[in-house]
Amino acid sequence: MLHPDRLFPSDPTQRDIARRLYGEVAALPIVSPHGHTDPSWFAKDEAFPDPASLFVKPDHYAFRMLYSQGIPLEQLGVPRRDGGETSSDSRAIWRLLASNWHLFRGTPTSMWLTHAFETVFGVTERLSAASADRIYDQIEDCLRKPEFRPRALFERFNLEVLATTESPLDPLVHHKAIRESGWKGRVITAFRPDPVVDPEFEGFRDNLAELGRITGKDTATWDGYLAALADRRLYFKSYGATSTDHGHPTAATADLSRPEAEKLFDIVRRGGATAEEAELFRAQMLTEMARMSLEDGLVMQIHPGSFRNHNDLVFQRFGRDKGADIPSGTEYVRALKPLLDRFGNERDLTIILFTLDEDSYARELAPLAGHYPALRVGPAWWFHDSPEGMRRYREMITETAGFYNTVGFNDDTRAFCSIPARHDVSRRVDCGFLARLVAEHRLAEDEAAELAVDLAYRLAKNAYKL
Ligand SMILES: [Zn+2]
């Protein structure tokens, strides 16, 4: 099912060049600097229970499409927050995916799943209602074998390093267990402080109290709160973290005076902040996080512009990350100015900007990253993590920011088996893009070959200090 020339340009000259370039990168190790896999998989190294638990239940790319066509999340085995009933019949869940496989035609999800079925589990027929049970049995058979346990797959995927993402309140027990197990796989954490820096995050006030409890700092004061965050950053660093991640609704930053910041903190910690005050507080916290990054060296990622949990009913029933996050327009030029006025010229600071708003690539992000030493542009993200999205990204970013103000690829996934597939798509699309530049005599092939390795491997390693 996987054609060796998939995703390469169909023009024969470009395709030949793309094949040669891809030959240089196809077997490189995978550096996965940002994602959301579950560290307990690698800590416990237990067999994945069944195909549906591996491919459907944790993957919002898979179940959002099915939900959009009217299939209830309960039928797909997505756990309910209130403990309400949800399907535990894995084979039935799998059959639902299989009989609706046509919904995924032309989508990256279908490419990723097909890649995983074939390269990981040796499946060579297309998923359909007719093949559902055969494929289910084949995958389930594999999952019982030791070579399909999480750690064995990690090694087989040739993962050099894999970052997960945790809240500052997470005690990192799984990372601790991985470290103490003596296993050589490098699974590191990343510091995602949204639950304690976003006054609109559910449970914010309790989260502040918990932050105080685990750090022994007085998080009822501005100074104590900042000290507690600095403390947790160091704790995360001790478990390998090299980055922070910030999932704010906008890219707003602020640089308030100390009395203003103290006053604002007092309002948010009491729980009475207006929407404007909450936004200003998040904005101030991005600048505070940049300041701390300059001190402790953690690379800062900003992932703005997602209207999270847009569907109230789904959020009430199932919680976060259920495929109900919707992109919105995002402005960077004015939003980032307060932070950049303070830290934009720092060469020892790396801030990686992501967007779900492609209008901002050529107009805002490439010019910003193509100027400020502290800024880099993150790869095509989420809804744009697709062959077309990657091509649009290269076309709109390269003219102003070049390749070296970008940071390689992020798979940003919760779906473990999609990692090799996603990196392979990115490598192929980048080789295709480079092949065009070579065919148009804008780039020598030896430069393209070096770039192909940079885009597939070195840039991520360097930007994320891995
Ligand atoms: Zn992410």
Side-chain angles (χ1 to χ4, degrees), residues 70 97 107 109 158 168 192 200 237 270 273 329 348 351 357 366 380 399 453 457:
L97 175 73
T107 65
T109 303
N158 199 13
R192 170 93 170 221
E200 291 174 327
K237 229 181 135 175
R270 289 169 197 275
D348 295 334
I351 301 173
D357 180 358
E399 55 206 4
V453 177
Y457 180 74

Coordinates of all heavy atoms in Angstrom, one line a residue, residues 70 97 107 109 158 168 192 200 237 270 273 329 348 351 357 366 380 399 453 457:
G70 N -21.2 11.9 13.1 CA -22.4 11.5 13.9 C -22.1 10.3 14.8 O -23.1 9.8 15.4
L97 N -14.1 2.1 13.0 CA -13.1 2.8 12.3 C -13.0 2.2 10.9 O -13.0 3.0 9.9 CB -11.7 2.6 13.0 CG -10.5 3.2 12.3 CD1 -10.5 4.7 12.3 CD2 -9.2 2.7 12.9
T107 N -6.6 12.3 3.7 CA -6.1 13.0 4.9 C -4.8 12.5 5.4 O -4.5 11.3 5.1 CB -7.1 12.9 6.1 OG1 -7.2 11.5 6.4 CG2 -8.6 13.3 5.7
T109 N -4.2 11.6 8.4 CA -4.5 10.5 9.3 C -4.5 9.2 8.6 O -3.9 8.2 9.1 CB -5.9 10.8 9.9 OG1 -5.9 12.0 10.6 CG2 -6.2 9.7 10.9
N158 N 13.7 3.8 16.0 CA 15.0 4.5 15.9 C 14.8 5.9 16.5 O 15.3 6.9 16.0 CB 15.4 4.6 14.5 CG 16.9 4.9 14.3 OD1 17.7 4.9 15.3 ND2 17.4 5.3 13.1
P168 N 3.3 21.5 35.5 CA 4.2 21.7 36.7 C 3.8 20.9 37.9 O 4.6 20.7 38.8 CB 4.1 23.2 36.9 CG 3.6 23.8 35.6 CD 2.8 22.7 35.0
R192 N 5.0 22.4 30.8 CA 3.8 23.1 30.2 C 3.0 23.7 31.3 O 2.2 23.1 32.0 CB 3.0 22.0 29.5 CG 1.7 22.5 29.0 CD 1.7 23.1 27.6 NE 0.4 23.3 27.1 CZ 0.0 23.0 25.8 NH1 0.9 22.5 25.0 NH2 -1.2 23.3 25.4
E200 N -7.8 31.2 33.5 CA -9.0 30.6 33.0 C -8.9 29.0 32.9 O -9.9 28.4 32.4 CB -9.4 31.2 31.7 CG -9.9 32.7 31.9 CD -10.2 33.4 30.6 OE1 -9.5 33.2 29.6 OE2 -11.0 34.3 30.6
K237 N 13.9 20.1 34.6 CA 15.2 20.1 34.0 C 16.0 18.8 34.5 O 16.7 18.2 33.7 CB 16.0 21.3 34.3 CG 16.6 22.0 33.1 CD 17.4 23.2 33.4 CE 18.7 23.2 32.7 NZ 19.5 24.4 32.9
R270 N -7.2 35.4 43.6 CA -8.5 35.4 44.3 C -9.7 34.8 43.5 O -10.7 34.6 44.0 CB -8.9 36.8 44.8 CG -8.0 37.3 45.9 CD -8.2 38.8 46.1 NE -7.1 39.4 46.9 CZ -7.0 39.3 48.2 NH1 -8.0 38.8 48.9 NH2 -6.0 39.9 48.8
A273 N -10.8 37.4 38.3 CA -10.3 38.1 37.2 C -11.3 38.2 36.0 O -12.1 37.3 35.8 CB -9.0 37.4 36.6
G329 N -7.7 33.2 14.1 CA -6.7 34.2 13.6 C -5.8 34.6 14.8 O -6.2 34.8 15.9
D348 N 21.2 34.0 23.6 CA 21.1 32.8 24.4 C 19.7 32.4 24.7 O 19.5 31.5 25.6 CB 21.9 33.0 25.8 CG 23.4 33.3 25.5 OD1 23.9 32.8 24.5 OD2 24.0 34.0 26.3
I351 N 13.1 31.2 21.4 CA 11.6 31.2 21.5 C 11.1 30.6 20.2 O 11.4 31.2 19.1 CB 11.0 32.6 21.8 CG1 11.6 33.1 23.1 CG2 9.5 32.5 21.8 CD1 11.2 34.6 23.4
D357 N -2.5 29.8 12.1 CA -3.0 30.8 11.2 C -2.0 31.1 10.1 O -1.0 31.8 10.3 CB -3.3 32.1 12.0 CG -3.8 33.3 11.1 OD1 -3.9 33.1 9.9 OD2 -4.0 34.3 11.7
A366 N 7.8 34.8 9.5 CA 9.1 34.8 8.8 C 9.8 36.1 9.0 O 11.0 36.1 9.3 CB 8.9 34.4 7.4
A380 N 5.1 23.4 10.6 CA 3.6 23.3 10.3 C 3.0 22.5 11.4 O 3.4 21.4 11.7 CB 3.4 22.8 9.0
E399 N 11.5 32.3 2.0 CA 11.9 33.5 1.3 C 12.5 34.5 2.3 O 13.4 35.2 2.0 CB 10.8 34.1 0.5 CG 9.5 34.3 1.4 CD 8.2 34.3 0.6 OE1 8.3 34.0 -0.6 OE2 7.2 34.6 1.2
V453 N 19.4 16.8 5.6 CA 19.8 16.2 6.9 C 19.5 17.2 8.0 O 19.1 16.9 9.1 CB 21.3 15.8 6.9 CG1 21.7 15.3 8.2 CG2 21.5 14.7 5.8
Y457 N 16.9 16.3 10.9 CA 17.6 15.8 12.1 C 18.3 16.9 12.9 O 18.0 17.2 14.0 CB 18.6 14.7 11.7 CG 19.4 14.1 12.8 CD1 18.9 13.2 13.7 CD2 20.8 14.4 13.0 CE1 19.6 12.7 14.8 CE2 21.5 13.9 14.0 CZ 20.9 13.0 14.9 OH 21.7 12.5 15.9

